[in-house]
Amino acid sequence: MTQIPPQFWSGPVVAAALAECDLPTILEEVRRVHGWTQGQLAEAVGYSQSWVSKVLRGRQPLTVDQVREISIQIGVPLHLLRFGARGDDDPTKRRDFGKAVALTALAGVALPKRPDVDETTAATLTSITGAQRRLEAVTPARELARPAAAQVDLASRVLGRASRSPHADEIRASLSEAAGFAAWVHADMQDTGSARLYYRRAVDSARQANHALLGAYMIGSLAAFEIDADDSLIGLNLLARARWEIGERPPAIARAWLSSLEALGHATARDEAAALQALSAAEAAVRAGERAVAPPWPWVFPFDHAKLAGYRALVMVRLKRPVEAVAAFNESLSSAQPGAKQRGVLMTEVAAAEAMSGRYDEALYLASNALTVATTYGSERVLHRVKTFRRSYAGPSSSALRSFDERLHATLI
């Protein structure tokens, strides 16, 4: 079966159909994009042509199980219909998703003049940003920048209509998360000015929402951004502020994440003792959070030993301990693959560690793989790291180096 292009699902007709769980329209659009006859469509979904004809004419009602089964057969991403595993078919989820697609500019569907604001609105806005965050791992930042900015604008307009609503704080929290994601996307594009503006908006909105955990998350994200820009002093000061905001009993994932960032900040400042102490604190927090069923919002993904190993690799590179950096990098890949862009960042750091140890071929191999990630996913952040590696490279001239330089120059011309 020919793969359906991702943009198909955000077209106005399909997006509106997804909003209403209108499978007949989705089937007809899938048939059209494939160039199928009705008989070929019937063969693809595993039903008779007469049955499919009735469905397309709206004369054949469908059960939830049939919608799920047919969607799987023709490649409809179930998360777009808000269907989870079998048995997770809460109709309010489909209603909320319908509102999400109707509200979001990302789908290309016009907004109603006065959409209702109720107890589902904030969750709907949050689900849109959550979907964008999941797409980020495999999507070039430049393709997400406009939808991310549109989502911030959408949340702001919804908040403007709901400023006196009892749900206003929940919408402010959704605006904060949307702004934080927009900041991350712009940071990946090396648009540091826009990234800082969005991070400040994320922090301000979280505070206005009186959401301490979200505020600490956004301040910590800004701290990570500053540390990544080699301003460890500002980053560490921001992390201290995040700890103050989060209170005395933060969840384990928050402690693990903040401690890992502190370790990276201290390592960037070449304070080895403080960096190692922070890593120990992060390890203890990861162990304490191992039994958690799911990370608390605004975290989307768990912070486990593999993710901590990725931070340890970064720390060890900055502390000029290449053997431990390489071991930590390998550990980070042992139980779960990090996102492609983060893997690219890690590869550039470990390439530097390999070069420190005199293993220049290995270093160039890793840097070349990171360059592939940078070009494949359009990540200026990873490309910047690759260029930094090349500037610091002090190994001998070789055919591998010449090949690497040719590839690097080709990305810049």
Side-chain angles (χ1 to χ4, degrees):
M1 182 186 299
T2 305
Q3 187 172 8
I4 298 175
Q7 61 268 26
F8 171 83
W9 306 109
S10 59
V13 174
V14 177
L18 288 168
E20 300 297 329
C21 287
D22 179 3
L23 193 64
T25 297
I26 295 171
L27 282 170
E28 180 58 33
E29 290 300 305
V30 168
R31 187 191 68 78
R32 181 186 57 78
V33 79
H34 281 303
W36 287 341
T37 64
Q38 196 174 95
Q40 289 171 315
L41 175 63
E43 183 179 352
V45 299
Y47 284 83
S48 69
Q49 183 175 346
S50 61
W51 187 89
V52 168
S53 177
K54 290 179 182 178
V55 170
L56 293 178
R57 288 182 285 126
R59 296 182 179 180
Q60 175 65 52
L62 299 173
T63 67
V64 168
D65 283 344
Q66 285 174 325
V67 171
R68 182 192 290 104
E69 177 188 355
I70 293 171
S71 297
I72 291 172
Q73 292 283 21
I74 61 175
V76 179
L78 291 185
H79 67 274
L80 295 181
L81 290 167
R82 293 301 293 273
F83 285 175
R86 188 175 299 273
D88 183 21
D89 296 313
D90 183 351
T92 62
K93 290 186 177 181
R94 296 196 296 277
R95 181 198 66 196
D96 293 348
F97 182 72
K99 184 177 292 183
V101 179
L103 283 173
T104 178
L106 176 63
V109 180
L111 282 169
K113 290 183 179 180
R114 296 293 296 177
D116 293 335
V117 173
D118 59 25
E119 70 278 1
T120 71
T121 303
T124 298
L125 291 169
T126 296
S127 71
I128 297 168
T129 303
Q132 291 178 336
R133 287 170 72 172
R134 288 175 170 84
L135 279 173
E136 187 274 336
V138 295
T139 307
R142 64 180 176 273
E143 295 181 14
L144 286 172
R146 184 176 296 178
Q151 176 67 1
V152 174
D153 181 61
L154 172 62
S156 299
R157 287 186 283 121
V158 172
L159 178 60
R161 291 189 290 270
S163 58
R164 297 185 180 181
S165 162
H167 309 293
D169 279 352
E170 297 170 5
I171 297 171
R172 289 186 183 99
S174 298
L175 171 58
S176 174
E177 186 184 30
F181 177 74
W184 172 259
V185 168
H186 284 83
D188 193 47
M189 297 167 61
Q190 290 293 107
D191 183 354
T192 57
S194 296
R196 284 192 176 94
L197 287 173
Y198 278 119
Y199 273 129
R200 288 169 190 156
R201 186 165 192 181
V203 172
D204 288 344
S205 297
R207 285 172 169 166
Q208 291 166 13
N210 299 307
H211 198 304
L213 188 60
L214 178 62
Y217 179 88
M218 292 304 171
I219 295 171
S221 298
L222 176 57
F225 170 77
E226 297 295 352
I227 292 170
D228 194 56
D230 289 329
D231 200 330
S232 57
L233 180 60
I234 288 179
L236 289 169
N237 285 338
L238 286 168
L239 288 170
R241 180 69 186 182
R243 284 196 178 276
W244 182 86
E245 296 234 359
I246 209 169
E248 296 181 357
R249 300 179 68 114
I253 190 171
R255 289 186 281 117
W257 180 61
L258 291 175
S259 295
S260 297
L261 290 174
E262 286 168 347
L264 189 56
H266 288 304
T268 303
R270 302 294 188 269
D271 187 340
E272 181 170 326
L276 296 178
Q277 182 177 0
L279 278 179
S280 295
E283 178 70 34
V286 169
R287 288 196 301 270
E290 285 178 332
R291 295 184 180 180
V293 175
W297 187 78
W299 279 268
V300 175
F301 306 104
F303 195 100
D304 55 14
H305 288 281
K307 187 160 288 190
L308 175 59
Y311 278 97
R312 187 182 299 111
L314 298 175
V315 168
M316 293 306 169
V317 171
R318 283 161 173 71
L319 294 179
K320 299 189 182 301
R321 296 167 66 159
V323 174
E324 291 162 276
V326 173
F329 175 67
N330 291 334
E331 183 185 347
S332 74
L333 303 179
S334 62
S335 59
Q337 285 282 334
K341 297 175 190 177
Q342 183 59 24
R343 191 165 68 251
V345 169
L346 283 172
M347 283 191 288
T348 60
E349 296 283 346
V350 179
E354 294 282 25
M356 288 179 204
S357 299
R359 292 187 288 271
Y360 300 113
D361 286 345
E362 291 87 342
L364 290 170
Y365 173 77
L366 285 168
S368 182
N369 284 340
L371 182 57
T372 298
V373 170
T375 55
T376 300
Y377 296 97
S379 175
E380 290 293 326
R381 177 172 173 246
V382 177
L383 180 59
H384 174 73
R385 294 297 189 95
V386 173
K387 291 162 65 179
T388 299
F389 162 81
R390 181 61 184 94
R391 285 196 300 270
S392 64
Y393 180 82
S397 179
S398 65
S399 60
L401 179 62
R402 288 190 292 273
S403 176
F404 174 77
D405 282 344
E406 288 174 4
R407 287 192 61 213
L408 179 58
H409 295 158
T411 66
L412 305 175
I413 298 174

